[in-house]
Amino acid sequence: MEGTEETTIKWRTASDPKKAGWLFSQDLLYSDRESNSLFLSMDIRKDKEEQDQTLVKFYKRDNVRWTSPLLCKLQGDVATGSGVDRHMMSTIIFKLMSGFHINLGSAAITKVFEGEPDHLTPSVSDGLLDNDMFAVAGRMIGHTFLHGGPSFTGLSPAIVHILFGGSLETTPLTLQDCPDLDIRDTVKMLEGDAKLKDIDAVHQLCLSWELPAPNATNRKWLSEKLLLHAVIERTRPQINQFQKGLKETGLWSLLIHRRDVIPILFPRESEAQVTPQMILDCIIWPSSITFIFESYRVEDDDESDVVDVCRVSGFLKTFIENASSAELKSLMKFWMGWEVPATEMRVEIVEAPLPTALTCFENLRLPRHYTLYKTFDEDLCACISTSYSGFGCI
């Protein structure tokens, strides 16, 4: 691929926003292909806190060309190649969603964003702001996007709106966007015309944010102002820092010119689900048979081998069709190194005690000895459950 004016035109005019994002990322990475590589090395023998500190330290650095070539290494593991890169990108987003094992003031696990699914907002913690954790989050999300990794799901539409320059007047705010349940209850009390149950709590909150006391004519306006302050005004510095980190990865031009890419960068949780059909459509089944799950045509000299392949492949299809969303994501992470299905994912039926994966080659290896689905299901579940705690055996 050549980084030319032609490729720039292509990402601007591509009808598919996913294609536009991919073209832009490839063009950006190509333009910095000669830059010094970024080395991200994490020792999986260390405890979770030290591993998380490694990731945060890597992304806290200033004046970094995040479009430079990326080389990832897992110390204490023999795995190499693109599978390790994918595993690292997936781990970064997973940690950003679930929290880092770093104590920045009040908790053993630090969450940069808080709230309920599809309504996540930046934490109001001053410690996170002082430690540039929102810049870290922006760099992590942008860097992962550049390398085709998982998206950050569930960010509040109100935060996305402000992040990309939307006005306060048109912010799509709801009560669910307020992670503080006490403030949420206070705002709810102001809705309608019922007598206020806890007038002192309402007065105290209004006073602390320099808003007037409620009366018969300002209750609706006041409830809107309180919610806007709780969700947007209190997190404005965090949003600005988050935006700064995102801009530093080089994505801003894409996101401003192709606003249809923003929902891909920050999808709703429901839009980011991995479905059985998404996976099945990408699988390249073993070449020794023409696979039709109700029957098969023999193309191999050893018919017993074909029967084994057909049976175990059928077990995998059954597992995928009946797995939960969480199980499908674990399967993808075990198979690919992250939760994003590839265009082609290969299945091999081999002599082995347990399922294994060659993540760099997008290859899942399943033992041929399974004759009962229950045994296959138990072993595969046990193997894929390790994908979030280690990488070495996959």
Side-chain angles (χ1 to χ4, degrees):
M1 175 179 178
E2 295 185 3
T4 64
E5 184 177 347
E6 182 180 355
T7 58
T8 302
I9 294 172
K10 284 182 178 179
W11 71 256
R12 285 177 179 265
T13 59
S15 58
D16 181 1
K18 287 187 178 180
K19 181 70 171 178
W22 182 83
L23 286 169
F24 180 89
S25 298
Q26 292 301 301
D27 191 33
L28 207 56
L29 295 172
Y30 182 87
S31 66
D32 267 344
R33 68 194 184 281
E34 301 297 335
S35 299
N36 293 330
S37 296
L38 299 175
F39 291 96
L40 175 52
S41 179
M42 185 170 70
D43 193 336
I44 62 173
R45 298 164 297 188
K46 302 291 186 180
D47 60 28
K48 291 181 179 179
E49 182 175 355
E50 289 181 275
Q51 292 184 36
D52 289 0
Q53 286 174 341
T54 296
L55 294 177
V56 170
K57 184 178 179 180
F58 180 81
Y59 284 99
K60 279 189 78 168
R61 296 179 300 164
D62 292 321
N63 303 316
V64 173
R65 295 186 68 88
W66 296 106
T67 49
S68 300
L70 175 65
L71 297 176
C72 297
K73 179 177 175 56
L74 292 173
Q75 298 177 50
D77 194 289
V78 297
T80 59
S82 59
V84 176
D85 297 344
R86 289 197 291 263
H87 173 79
M88 200 75 83
M89 295 292 105
S90 177
T91 299
I92 288 165
I93 296 299
F94 175 74
K95 293 290 186 179
L96 198 55
M97 296 285 297
S98 62
F100 296 95
H101 290 79
I102 300 174
N103 190 337
L104 292 180
S106 60
I109 295 181
T110 294
K111 287 195 172 186
V112 182
F113 298 89
E114 56 188 7
E116 55 188 87
D118 286 337
H119 298 278
L120 296 175
T121 61
S123 169
V124 295
S125 165
D126 289 335
L128 291 175
L129 194 62
D130 294 341
N131 280 277
D132 294 325
M133 286 300 294
F134 299 99
V136 166
R139 292 163 187 163
M140 285 179 165
I141 292 169
H143 199 218
T144 302
F145 182 88
L146 285 174
H147 291 277
S151 299
F152 183 86
T153 61
L155 190 63
S156 163
I159 299 299
V160 174
H161 175 81
I162 296 297
L163 181 65
F164 292 101
S167 67
L168 287 175
E169 293 74 20
T170 57
T171 304
L173 268 175
T174 70
L175 270 176
Q176 292 171 292
D177 292 317
C178 181
D180 189 314
L181 297 182
D182 290 334
I183 295 175
R184 193 187 292 192
D185 288 342
T186 301
V187 172
K188 286 173 69 175
M189 278 194 286
L190 287 166
E191 295 178 346
D193 300 317
K195 184 178 179 180
L196 296 177
K197 296 178 181 179
D198 190 349
I199 188 69
D200 289 339
V202 177
H203 279 177
Q204 185 176 356
L205 185 61
C206 292
L207 182 64
S208 66
W209 289 345
E210 299 180 349
L211 290 169
N215 56 49
T217 60
N218 74 353
R219 286 178 61 158
K220 185 177 186 301
W221 172 86
L222 194 57
S223 68
E224 293 173 352
K225 282 293 184 181
L226 287 172
L227 186 59
L228 188 67
H229 190 91
V231 178
I232 302 300
E233 298 296 353
R234 286 206 303 168
T235 63
R236 183 72 76 168
Q238 287 87 337
I239 295 171
N240 291 341
Q241 193 182 99
F242 184 39
Q243 184 190 79
K244 175 179 175 290
L246 195 58
K247 284 182 175 181
E248 289 171 355
T249 65
L251 283 184
W252 204 250
S253 179
L254 168 70
L255 300 172
I256 294 303
H257 289 96
R258 291 296 305 258
R259 300 187 78 88
D260 55 348
V261 177
I262 295 173
I264 298 173
L265 183 67
F266 296 112
R268 311 291 282 168
E269 280 210 350
S270 58
E271 296 167 354
Q273 296 297 317
V274 178
T275 67
Q277 199 57 51
M278 285 171 59
I279 296 175
L280 291 171
D281 287 345
C282 297
I283 292 178
I284 306 297
W285 297 99
S287 59
S288 60
I289 57 171
T290 300
F291 202 86
I292 306 172
F293 287 98
E294 291 76 18
S295 61
Y296 58 85
R297 174 168 60 85
V298 176
E299 292 182 355
D300 193 286
D301 292 336
D302 190 337
E303 186 170 342
S304 65
D305 287 348
V306 177
V307 172
D308 290 344
V309 169
C310 182
R311 182 182 63 255
V312 177
S313 297
F315 287 166
L316 177 61
K317 180 173 183 286
T318 299
F319 177 87
I320 292 171
E321 289 175 334
N322 293 280
S324 66
S325 177
E327 288 172 330
L328 291 176
K329 286 185 176 182
S330 292
L331 175 63
M332 285 297 90
K333 196 165 192 304
F334 178 80
W335 191 339
M336 300 293 302
W338 60 28
E339 298 88 342
V340 184
T343 305
E344 294 185 351
M345 303 187 302
R346 300 187 181 277
V347 174
E348 284 186 45
I349 310 303
V350 298
E351 297 286 352
L354 290 169
T356 56
L358 300 175
T359 56
C360 294
F361 300 100
E362 298 156 358
N363 196 329
L364 179 66
R365 290 182 165 181
L366 301 174
R368 70 186 327 122
H369 62 72
Y370 292 111
T371 57
L372 296 175
Y373 176 74
K374 181 181 179 182
T375 307
F376 173 86
D377 179 80
E378 290 174 349
D379 284 357
L380 185 58
C381 284
C383 289
I384 67 176
S385 68
T386 66
S387 62
Y388 286 96
S389 59
F391 190 76
C393 294
I394 63 180

